[in-house]
Amino acid sequence: MTSDYDRKMAVNQNHFLDLKDLSGSVLRKILSQAVDLKSTRKDKKQPLNGKTLAMIFEKPSTRTRVSFEVGMKELGGDVVVLSGDELQVSRGESIADTARVLSRYVDGIMIRTFEEAKIREMAKYASVPVINGLTDNSHPCQLMADVMTFEEHRGSIKGKTVAWSGDGNNMASSWIHAATKFDFRLNIACPRECRPDEGLLDWANEQKNHVSLFHDPKAAVENADCVVTDTWVSMGSDASNQHNLLAPFQVNKKLMENASPEAVFLHCLPAHRGEEVTSEVLDGPQSLVWDEAENRLHAQKAILLWCMT
Ligand code: CP
Ligand code: NVA
């Protein structure tokens, strides 16, 4: 049962659950604030003074954990970090009850978990904003940093071509969402066995014809402005046979030669050097991966402000 208090508080929350839920103009507004926050980082304004973010991790993290904590602190706020197995959820307390209780202590909840349904449940019962810090299905905070990074180096992503070569995983899904929201072409090269969710591809192509599926990475990368990949085995997924299937999709110098000479390389990290990407590409002149990792901080500060102020 949802109490009157919960119901009243749950309306009009700015949850950041998935790019597909938000309009292109809201996402643009957040990105432009991220750019401002990056350029004024030294100003030390503290708009989240007195606010606390709870961060729940049911999977490991380096970048998400540190960038959210540093981001909250730079904005004047504080964090409480909780691992899934420390919470009573691990002993059967419901997500709904956890959401209700946390909402009485903190001003926002960031959660990294397995099923998307869990963050939707959290958002349904929380009376504070909920932010998706990665699920099996998507990684929207990462995409905000990725688009920001591309644009920082190459100007507007609108009308450009991004090529994904690898597993059709949570990151690939968020790139699909981003292609429709930021209006760029996305060529996805993956083995037949590792295709993104069919329903998601149908959704993308109903929005506009932004996404094309390939099984030949060379064809997908042809003249692309940006080449992206990610680990062959995502957290919590089955490793069996992924390496054999995905080996032809490795991003290496030879594959990069098919992209535009101005093409950049992105990877959300952590990278598995010699698997989905070679060190030659990751450390090479086209790689923007360290700026991309830094931009998690600026993009998420803008997301926190959009959600919490
Ligand atoms: N890219 C990313 O989300 O990294 P972490 O898993 O280290 O948070
Ligand atoms: N696809 C990867 C992304 C890690 C940030 C995973 O889910 O493990």
Side-chain angles (χ1 to χ4, degrees):
M1 269 288 270
T2 310
S3 73
D4 285 347
Y5 175 88
D6 291 336
R7 215 174 290 117
K8 194 165 119 248
M9 295 303 286
V11 290
N12 298 328
Q13 289 299 337
N14 278 350
H15 299 299
F16 192 84
L17 302 185
D18 236 335
L19 301 186
K20 69 175 187 288
D21 299 337
L22 299 168
S23 69
S25 64
V26 163
L27 296 172
R28 272 278 156 221
K29 197 174 131 197
I30 295 173
L31 268 192
S32 104
Q33 176 137 46
V35 172
D36 282 355
L37 287 163
K38 184 168 184 175
S39 65
T40 57
R41 189 172 175 190
K42 293 202 163 48
D43 291 358
K44 305 225 180 292
K45 289 200 183 113
Q46 305 219 307
L48 296 187
N49 190 12
K51 303 222 179 199
T52 302
L53 178 74
M55 301 202 282
I56 301 172
F57 287 97
E58 294 189 333
K59 291 176 174 174
S61 170
T62 299
R63 281 143 287 267
T64 306
R65 152 102 210 239
V66 178
S67 55
F68 264 110
E69 179 158 350
V70 171
M72 267 309 278
K73 288 182 175 164
E74 287 189 1
L75 293 169
D78 206 348
V79 294
V80 180
V81 185
L82 304 153
S83 73
D85 56 13
E86 287 164 353
L87 287 167
Q88 294 287 10
V89 180
S90 66
R91 298 182 60 251
E93 187 170 20
S94 73
I95 292 282
D97 290 351
T98 307
R100 290 179 175 116
V101 170
L102 289 179
S103 299
R104 301 291 176 106
Y105 302 136
V106 299
D107 305 280
I109 302 168
M110 195 284 314
I111 174 164
R112 168 169 286 196
T113 186
F114 295 86
E115 306 85 3
E116 183 183 341
K118 266 195 197 170
I119 58 161
R120 301 259 165 214
E121 182 85 350
M122 185 71 84
K124 184 172 172 192
Y125 291 98
S127 52
V128 296
V130 175
I131 299 172
N132 176 355
L134 179 146
T135 68
D136 293 345
N137 303 89
S138 66
H139 197 1
C141 292
Q142 180 70 52
L143 254 291
M144 295 299 277
D146 293 1
V147 173
M148 179 178 173
T149 308
F150 179 88
E151 296 197 332
E152 205 167 56
H153 291 265
R154 290 290 181 273
S156 174
I157 201 166
K158 186 173 175 181
K160 297 284 196 319
T161 299
V162 175
W164 171 277
S165 184
D167 187 22
N169 63 12
N170 47 2
M171 277 298 301
S173 296
S174 282
W175 273 102
I176 294 172
H177 299 153
T180 69
K181 297 294 172 178
F182 293 105
D183 213 3
F184 58 85
R185 282 218 59 77
L186 178 65
N187 294 340
I188 298 186
C190 62
R192 286 178 203 285
E193 297 81 349
C194 306
R195 291 156 65 99
D197 179 67
E198 285 303 326
L200 178 58
L201 291 171
D202 292 345
W203 171 83
N205 287 322
E206 275 161 23
Q207 311 293 306
K208 270 188 202 166
N209 197 16
H210 280 107
V211 182
S212 307
L213 204 59
F214 296 75
H215 298 300
D216 170 13
K218 201 171 150 216
V221 164
E222 192 76 48
N223 292 324
D225 303 291
C226 176
V227 178
V228 202
T229 190
D230 184 19
T231 180
W232 287 344
V233 185
S234 286
M235 293 179 279
S237 71
D238 179 9
S240 60
N241 213 24
Q242 288 286 94
H243 287 71
N244 293 334
L245 289 171
L246 285 155
F249 295 82
Q250 182 189 67
V251 178
N252 50 37
K253 194 161 174 273
K254 195 154 172 272
L255 187 66
M256 286 300 289
E257 281 165 6
N258 297 287
S260 153
E262 299 294 305
V264 296
F265 172 74
L266 296 178
H267 187 312
C268 64
L269 305 178
H272 301 79
R273 291 168 180 263
E275 294 187 9
E276 75 274 7
V277 61
T278 57
S279 287
E280 197 177 14
V281 171
L282 196 71
D283 300 326
Q286 290 168 289
S287 172
L288 302 180
V289 297
W290 314 119
D291 286 350
E292 183 184 2
E294 178 189 331
N295 284 337
R296 291 293 302 280
L297 172 69
H298 311 297
Q300 285 158 197
K301 283 168 75 177
I303 292 167
L304 288 166
L305 288 177
W306 179 75
C307 288
M308 293 168 78
T309 57

